[in-house]
Amino acid sequence: MDFQQLKSIIEGLLFLAGEEGITMKQFVEVTEQRKELIADAIEEMRANFKQEGRGLQILQIAGAYQLATLPEHAPYFERFAYSPSRSSLSQAALEVLSIVAYRQPITRVEIEEIRGVKSERAIHTLANRDLITEVGRAEAIGRPILYGTTKLFLDYFGMDSLADLPELSQVEGTDQLEEETDLLFQKLDQEKQLSFEDVTAELDHSEK
């Protein structure tokens, strides 16, 4: 393969690897190219990103390369994450959230194995909204990130602790995922209904 094709492949691999990143050893194994050539390609990509004013950069963290946004753009990302149009959770995000809630700690790969589809975007959404967070690293190749729920998750669903999660029946596979998601939906709807009733009661009390 030529040098430009190698850079294109590296960019794609970085995108797929997400926040877990990809090591030089993995680059070599996947591309079947020399370490020195891959390193040169990455350095040239870094320089090109900076020269072209791209919104991404390539970082090396804990021995793994990953794509990352620019720190100076953080205010825009925060505004996007908390914009009113993003106030409700999508079906995909709620599915991921239910998996994390019931099966934490859990890795991204394990989440995707359960759902059968890529889940990185939903994970990022939930992490940006502080509903899930990194709780450790799995004892596996690459030390993948383990995710768990946060205190805000409990507040969001009106629970004191994870012991308040709705109980599951004894089902397996996809049916269990559907049940987990449905129960979380019901819990959220219940919390919204309680909030509405609290506001109504407060208004009635003030009118009296």
Side-chain angles (χ1 to χ4, degrees), residues 156-173:
Y156 191 82
F157 286 92
M159 296 184 289
D160 290 329
S161 70
L162 292 175
D164 294 331
L165 279 170
E167 292 187 8
L168 293 168
S169 60
Q170 298 300 314
V171 293
E172 299 295 336

Side-chain angles (χ1 to χ4, degrees), residues 201-208:
E202 182 65 27
L203 288 173
D204 288 342
H205 178 73
S206 62
E207 289 175 357
K208 294 177 181 179

Side-chain angles (χ1 to χ4, degrees), residues 173-197:
T174 303
D175 290 339
Q176 184 169 340
L177 172 56
E178 291 176 356
E179 183 183 8
E180 290 172 357
T181 306
D182 288 344
L183 287 172
L184 219 53
F185 259 127
Q186 292 168 16
K187 187 70 177 176
L188 180 57
D189 287 342
Q190 181 185 39
E191 178 62 19
K192 286 181 177 178
Q193 182 63 31
L194 287 173
S195 299
F196 176 76
E197 291 173 353

